[in-house]
Amino acid sequence: MLTMILVSIASCLFLAFTEHFEKKLKISAFVCLLTVNVAHIILFFLAGFSDPGIMKRNENSFGCHDTFIKVVHKGIFKKTRLCETCNIAKPFRSAHCSECDNCVLRFDHHCPWLGNCVAKRNYKYFYFYLILVNIHCLLLLVFLYIIYLKSFVMEKKLIKH
């Protein structure tokens, strides 16, 4: 949440203190930054508050203390890992998140900025959120560079006169 607020504040301050912009350029900068900012806020909430793929706990115990158990999948015996906390046979690439205390399908990591795991069901939202935050920062840099060039040209004009 703090990351989202800081990026939004940077855009607001940028637009508030840019007197070197022409009106058309300032409006286009405002529209670009606002669009990207709103989109990355929406993706932040989608990634942070959607279910990452949490697997339901099994109330019954397997009655064994092995880390691997044999399961039948499509008529074939396979070895799979057992989560002793959740009492479930974990599918491939699932893991137990120590922060959430849940087993999560296709677990990637627990994101402290989102306060949620990034996994199977919210990975695309997280990925596009990161892309949009980077685009947002690049837009700020581009507009700052334009301001720098305009102020440099204005200084050269003042020096010549």
Side-chain angles (χ1 to χ4, degrees):
M1 192 78 152
L2 181 64
T3 306
M4 178 185 65
I5 292 169
L6 289 175
V7 172
S8 299
I9 288 173
S11 293
C12 293
L13 289 174
F14 173 77
L15 291 169
F17 296 107
T18 53
E19 64 269 352
H20 294 294
F21 267 170
E22 299 167 5
K23 190 169 185 164
K24 286 183 181 180
L25 191 57
K26 194 166 189 169
I27 290 172
S28 64
F30 175 76
V31 169
C32 286
L33 291 173
L34 182 69
T35 304
V36 171
N37 200 19
V38 167
H40 101 257
I41 288 171
I42 290 169
L43 285 168
F44 174 85
F45 282 110
L46 284 172
F49 294 108
S50 63
D51 176 30
I54 295 173
M55 299 167 61
K56 291 185 179 180
R57 292 177 183 255
N58 185 4
E59 299 301 323
N60 302 326
S61 177
F62 279 107
C64 66
H65 299 287
D66 296 333
T67 54
F68 289 95
I69 60 168
K70 292 181 181 176
V71 293
V72 179
H73 180 69
K74 296 182 181 177
I76 302 170
F77 280 100
K78 292 185 177 184
K79 270 186 162 181
T80 187
R81 293 178 298 144
L82 175 67
C83 178
E84 294 176 1
T85 307
C86 298
N87 288 324
I88 57 172
K90 295 194 285 187
F92 180 67
R93 283 204 60 207
S94 65
H96 188 86
C97 177
S98 59
E99 293 286 323
C100 298
D101 196 33
N102 287 310
C103 280
V104 184
L105 289 169
R106 276 202 267 154
F107 180 76
D108 189 11
H109 69 284
H110 184 88
C111 182
W113 290 279
L114 291 175
N116 197 7
C117 291
V118 176
K120 181 180 183 178
R121 294 187 193 135
N122 67 350
Y123 191 80
K124 61 184 171 223
Y125 302 132
F126 180 74
Y127 182 73
F128 288 120
Y129 167 73
L130 290 179
I131 288 173
L132 280 176
V133 168
N134 285 315
I135 289 171
H136 193 251
C137 292
L138 285 172
L139 281 173
L140 284 173
L141 286 173
V142 165
F143 290 129
L144 280 172
Y145 186 68
I146 291 170
I147 290 173
Y148 172 75
L149 288 178
K150 286 192 176 251
S151 64
F152 186 72
V153 168
M154 287 177 71
E155 279 183 29
K156 286 223 175 205
K157 284 182 182 178
L158 288 174
I159 291 173
K160 285 183 180 179
H161 292 293

